[in-house]
Amino acid sequence: MASISLKNIYKTYPGGVTAVTDFNLEIHDKEFVIFVGPSGCGKSTTLRMIAGLEEISSGDLYIDDRRVNSVEPKDRDIAMVFQNYALYPYMTVFENMAFGLRLRKVPKKEIEQKVTQAAKILGIEDYLKRKPKNLSGGQRQRVALGRAIVREPKVFLLDEPLSNLDAKMRTQMRTEIIKLHKELQTTFVYVTHDQTEAMTMGTRIVVMKDGLIQQVDTPDNLYEFPVNKFVAGFIGAPQMNFIDVMLSQEEKTDPVYAKFGRNSLLIDKATQKRITCEEVNQRQFVLGVRAEDVSLVSGADKKFKDATVKATVKVTEKLGNETLVYCSVDGVNGDVVVRAGARCNVLSGDEIEIGFDTKHVQLFDYDTEQSVLKR
Amino acid sequence: MKKDKKKENLITAEASAPAAPRDKTEGRFYRIVHSEAFSGYMFLLPWLIGFCVFVAYPIIQTFIFSFSDVQIRLGEIETSFIGFGNYAKALLQDAKFTDALGEYAMQIILYVPVITVISLILSMLLNSKLKGTGFFRTIFFFPVIITSGPVIKMFIDQGVASFPGIENLIDFEKLAETLPQFLVDALQFLTSEFIMILWFSGIQILVFMTGLQKMDKSMYEAAKIDGATKWEMFWKITLPALNPTIVLNVVFTVVMQSIFSLNPIISKIQTDMNATDGSGGYGYASAMAWIYFILMLVLLGVAVLIFKKHEKRIKTDRRFKLLKRAKGAKA
């Protein structure tokens, strides 16, 4: 149980490449923090700096108020789970889990007790005699988790632990890791590039891009109130629809319209109130709308009054529980994705009408790509 | 056009008609010729012929010769069976041969562990992230290319292979007063052969380096977090993982040392084979060759057994004790 504090952390490699820039974060005790971002955004580097496997170029790292910049990994009281499991191939599952304890000269009886207990939690009691090569991916990752558990560390560091597993096993292990966090009541720092993992597991998510923190927030807030276009696009699947729009508002009290091509959408009053810009009339913005906030509408539908546009269906994706409809809309680069019901029967080439729920749209500055809506 | 139509009809008729029972032998032949195994054996055939003619046949022939008195007269080979006569002569009467055998055995016993250890250390150094490792890798591998037969003979004759500087550093006579003679001999042998040992380590270094580069780096990181020192990582992670490579290198070293062109036994066998004074001949040379071969096999077997045993020991070490206890605790 520990808190981690990262203050002005930089990581610069000898070639001059900066992987992490001015990283500031307070991770509280028992928190499950997720670092998420595309490949090369510096999330793994940051985790490795916390682990002590990577040197910190500048800045301060504290674990429980103790500065650990130059403390050896073994003395940081952390345990790490790697993407490729990093099990010792010539040792059995038991030996793999006992290795760290043996090096710490823990009495043999205690080792046996801890290993069997951890194996019981993870359901790998029957595999203790086996070598890693005789285990499936999921079992190997459990052993890797077991190796971390027996150490009873203050902090668990997990570097994309589910990336090598198939989709079904990933979902199963995801739930198990969440359960494990609840059971162990310890600080977890988890790195992933999979936004589903991030959204389902973390108590807080750190979204990173190009070595910089973009936003640190709870999963709900990240989804509802992204601070910029990158976060809005990265979180959520399918990706948020982005439309370059021109806002028009004749008087300050008048309603705001978002215009693109021959289309015009009336922005909901609640959203209008959240706009932070002084003057929006005739200014270009990026309108962001999630697929579930766009619907197929029939002419009689009044829900989307003044917020409907004509569209042509390009492709439909039947996912079983829902259908994703990809449409082309006048004035929009790329497709607009609509999340429709499971039994939606539109076909490619159909001319349809789609409605935007402008209460839940996002607005980003055209140049800075920062959100112009307050919470 | 008509012809084409006929052809078409034929094809459709063939396709629709039930498959006519084929001639059994033709079918089997077709299957064999078109099997993957057949292609494989065809590719192997030139080598197999070469092996039978140039290796298997001579081996059998020398085995027969070794129990015979062989006389070559005007292109005809006359053999008369004399039992173990040639073997008895080689082992009991020919002091030169037994001395050479002893020297060879001593050389293998000293060379194999030393070459293995030195090449392991060098490969680990060359595998580390140091500047100019590419240059050093070339330097250590270079002798493998240049030390082929005649070149190495010239080097040895000119004294390049020995390093008097090292030999003169140690006063072996004084050492003999405190250490047993065989240890002093071994030490003297090693110092005088030091450069040869380095020269013969090129391939082994390369083999070890491939073994080392195959290892997963995150395994070492996990060990680092687990609290292992570099020393512990070497003994508990690197060495067990390298064990198959060690066995491979041991076999390679023994074989290379045994077939080395300047090997004294091989030269003795060659001169005795062509001796015209009646002391040697094909029969005697064959017997010596077979004794040499068996000794080589024994040494190879012992070396492999030692390292295999080491591997097993690593595998079973502590594991069962702890597992037994774990079972006991569970019960």
Side-chain angles (χ1 to χ4, degrees):
Chain A
M1 280 137 279
S3 58
I4 306 168
S5 173
L6 296 108
K7 287 180 182 163
N8 310 104
I9 298 275
Y10 279 82
K11 175 69 195 178
T12 311
Y13 287 106
V17 180
T18 306
V20 178
T21 312
D22 199 18
F23 195 100
N24 287 291
L25 182 69
E26 293 288 333
I27 300 171
H28 310 299
D29 185 23
K30 294 172 195 166
E31 240 191 326
F32 197 138
V33 170
I34 311 251
F35 293 170
V36 70
S39 298
C41 70
K43 54 190 190 299
S44 282
T45 312
T46 312
L47 189 85
R48 289 168 62 80
M49 284 194 282
I50 299 173
L53 298 172
E54 207 81 58
E55 217 176 293
I56 296 169
S57 305
S58 76
D60 301 301
L61 170 68
Y62 295 89
I63 296 180
D64 261 354
D65 301 328
R66 172 182 168 222
R67 192 174 182 273
V68 293
N69 281 41
S70 45
V71 174
E72 281 289 308
K74 67 181 168 78
D75 300 322
R76 293 189 183 195
D77 206 357
I78 45 131
M80 188 156 166
V81 178
F82 295 83
Q83 180 181 353
N84 55 355
Y85 325 124
L87 298 175
Y88 312 120
Y90 291 89
M91 296 183 197
T92 59
V93 168
F94 182 94
E95 287 175 312
N96 262 289
M97 287 165 74
F99 188 66
L101 298 177
R102 264 192 215 152
L103 292 172
R104 283 177 163 72
K105 309 262 187 288
V106 175
K108 280 181 181 175
K109 270 202 169 171
E110 205 179 319
I111 294 178
E112 287 150 24
Q113 200 189 336
K114 281 184 175 171
V115 171
T116 23
Q117 201 182 337
K120 206 181 263 179
I121 294 174
L122 296 160
I124 48 170
E125 293 155 289
D126 298 336
Y127 312 125
L128 286 177
K129 278 186 204 172
R130 289 205 202 165
K131 291 270 174 67
K133 66 176 176 192
N134 298 324
L135 300 175
S136 69
Q139 288 164 344
R140 279 184 212 181
Q141 199 51 279
R142 279 198 193 116
V143 177
L145 279 170
R147 186 169 62 181
I149 292 172
V150 292
R151 295 256 315 278
E152 292 172 5
K154 279 183 186 170
V155 181
F156 276 85
L157 305 173
L158 301 100
D159 190 4
E160 305 205 24
L162 309 183
S163 297
N164 283 9
L165 304 179
D166 61 59
K168 199 178 167 193
M169 185 54 71
R170 209 179 299 171
T171 319
Q172 194 187 330
M173 285 298 290
R174 213 161 62 196
T175 329
E176 283 188 30
I177 293 176
I178 296 168
K179 265 200 279 179
L180 201 68
H181 174 245
K182 279 185 184 151
E183 217 165 295
L184 299 173
Q185 291 288 308
T186 315
T187 314
F188 272 50
V189 184
Y190 188 107
V191 163
T192 182
H193 62 265
D194 181 352
Q195 53 97 17
T196 321
E197 272 173 34
M199 292 294 283
T200 51
M201 297 169 92
T203 46
R204 263 198 314 161
I205 300 173
V206 179
V207 184
M208 291 179 74
K209 186 195 169 199
D210 301 332
L212 283 162
I213 293 182
Q214 302 294 311
Q215 188 172 357
V216 184
D217 223 321
T218 60
D220 285 344
N221 282 344
L222 272 185
Y223 198 76
E224 293 297 332
F225 310 111
V227 295
N228 58 31
K229 197 180 156 191
F230 172 77
V231 176
F234 193 80
I235 301 292
Q239 197 192 315
M240 183 182 270
N241 296 301
F242 293 113
I243 304 167
D244 295 345
V245 294
M246 184 74 81
L247 291 192
S248 79
Q249 182 187 35
E250 303 213 331
E251 291 294 323
K252 270 256 162 169
T253 48
D254 284 353
V256 176
Y257 285 90
K259 294 186 172 172
F260 54 100
R262 281 167 296 181
N263 302 306
S264 169
L265 301 176
L266 171 68
I267 301 293
D268 186 86
K269 269 187 188 156
T271 311
Q272 192 184 331
K273 274 184 191 164
R274 287 171 55 210
I275 298 175
T276 51
C277 300
E278 282 292 309
E279 181 62 51
V280 294
N281 193 30
Q282 295 307 308
R283 268 186 69 185
Q284 217 174 357
F285 290 88
V286 177
L287 180 98
V289 56
R290 297 208 183 271
E292 59 265 33
D293 297 323
V294 191
S295 312
L296 307 178
V297 287
S298 61
D301 207 333
K302 292 215 169 152
K303 190 186 165 194
F304 301 104
K305 197 178 169 248
D306 293 331
T308 58
V309 298
K310 284 201 164 58
T312 312
V313 178
K314 280 169 86 178
V315 184
T316 56
E317 276 181 359
K318 289 256 181 201
L319 300 175
N321 61 337
E322 63 183 15
T323 308
L324 296 179
V325 184
Y326 293 78
C327 331
S328 63
V329 175
D330 182 49
V332 181
N333 292 326
D335 300 335
V336 172
V337 190
V338 184
R339 201 189 285 270
R343 285 168 193 88
C344 154
N345 51 8
V346 294
L347 298 168
S348 60
D350 284 0
E351 296 287 332
I352 55 165
E353 210 169 340
I354 54 175
F356 290 75
D357 180 0
T358 52
K359 197 176 175 184
H360 295 110
V361 292
Q362 304 292 331
L363 271 178
F364 304 100
D365 186 279
Y366 188 77
D367 299 315
T368 62
E369 296 190 346
Q370 296 297 313
S371 175
V372 292
L373 299 180
K374 60 184 176 209
R375 286 190 185 183
Chain B
M1 277 296 278
K2 262 187 184 177
K3 261 186 186 175
D4 279 350
K5 254 193 175 177
K6 259 189 184 176
K7 217 177 181 181
E8 226 179 275
N9 285 343
L10 267 174
I11 292 166
T12 46
E14 213 172 90
S16 57
R22 271 187 186 156
D23 182 13
K24 259 193 176 174
T25 49
E26 193 193 314
R28 193 181 301 155
F29 177 74
Y30 181 85
R31 271 206 309 277
I32 290 172
V33 170
H34 286 84
S35 68
E36 273 186 21
F38 183 78
S39 317
Y41 283 121
M42 279 295 116
F43 277 111
L44 269 179
L45 200 62
W47 181 84
L48 274 175
I49 294 170
F51 177 79
C52 291
V53 174
F54 298 111
V55 181
Y57 174 69
I59 285 178
I60 297 162
Q61 191 74 309
T62 52
F63 189 68
I64 297 164
F65 280 176
S66 69
F67 294 101
S68 319
D69 181 24
V70 184
Q71 300 290 335
I72 301 173
R73 286 199 189 95
L74 294 168
E76 268 184 39
I77 299 171
E78 282 178 20
T79 55
S80 48
F81 184 71
I82 53 161
F84 283 96
N86 285 328
Y87 288 91
K89 185 182 163 190
L91 290 171
L92 304 172
Q93 292 167 21
D94 194 343
K96 264 192 188 170
F97 179 65
T98 45
D99 282 355
L101 273 187
E103 198 187 315
Y104 160 76
M106 166 97 162
Q107 196 184 353
I108 292 288
I109 290 165
L110 287 173
Y111 261 40
V112 170
V114 173
I115 288 181
T116 310
V117 171
I118 284 185
S119 51
L120 178 59
I121 294 169
L122 286 174
S123 64
M124 289 183 75
L125 286 175
L126 292 175
N127 204 35
S128 56
K129 281 183 197 161
L130 289 173
K131 269 189 183 170
T133 41
F135 173 73
F136 289 112
R137 282 176 197 182
T138 318
I139 292 281
F140 280 104
F141 193 70
F142 202 52
V144 178
I145 305 160
I146 59 158
T147 54
S148 55
V151 183
I152 200 165
K153 191 172 183 326
M154 223 166 70
F155 275 143
I156 293 170
D157 289 346
Q158 289 175 5
V160 180
S162 60
F163 195 9
I166 297 180
E167 283 175 74
N168 299 339
L169 269 178
I170 308 164
D171 191 347
F172 289 104
E173 278 176 21
K174 276 221 166 143
L175 265 182
E177 289 168 16
T178 48
L179 286 173
Q181 189 58 40
F182 76 92
L183 261 182
V184 178
D185 285 348
L187 212 61
Q188 199 163 9
F189 183 76
L190 281 181
T191 47
S192 65
E193 300 276 308
F194 188 69
I195 290 187
M196 290 290 278
I197 289 170
L198 279 182
W199 277 1
F200 283 112
S201 302
I203 301 269
Q204 287 85 334
I205 291 173
L206 210 67
V207 174
F208 274 133
M209 271 172 61
T210 44
L212 286 170
Q213 277 165 11
K214 252 173 41 187
M215 272 184 223
D216 181 7
K217 276 186 192 127
S218 57
M219 207 161 63
Y220 290 98
E221 290 179 343
K224 208 172 170 187
I225 291 173
D226 269 342
T229 58
K230 290 227 158 139
W231 185 247
E232 283 165 328
M233 282 186 214
F234 172 75
W235 288 104
K236 286 171 178 158
I237 297 168
T238 312
L239 206 58
L242 275 184
N243 215 54
T245 322
I246 294 173
V247 175
L248 176 71
N249 267 342
V250 165
V251 173
F252 180 79
T253 312
V254 173
V255 172
M256 283 317 284
Q257 286 304 314
S258 305
I259 61 166
F260 179 46
S261 58
L262 298 181
N263 188 313
I265 305 181
I266 292 178
S267 17
K268 179 168 167 47
I269 293 169
Q270 278 170 346
T271 42
D272 278 17
M273 185 172 72
N274 299 319
T276 47
D277 56 355
S279 63
Y282 273 62
Y284 184 54
S286 300
M288 284 197 292
W290 271 93
I291 294 170
Y292 179 47
F293 177 58
I294 289 163
L295 178 67
M296 188 192 94
L297 275 188
V298 170
L299 288 172
L300 202 61
V302 171
V304 171
L305 265 181
I306 290 171
F307 284 98
K308 278 263 169 195
K309 223 178 179 184
H310 171 69
E311 186 181 11
K312 260 192 182 170
R313 199 167 50 78
I314 289 169
K315 281 180 182 169
T316 51
D317 187 28
R318 302 175 313 261
R319 180 173 92 197
F320 287 115
K321 281 185 209 162
L322 280 168
L323 270 175
K324 266 183 194 169
R325 275 199 199 138
K327 265 189 177 174
K330 228 174 144 186

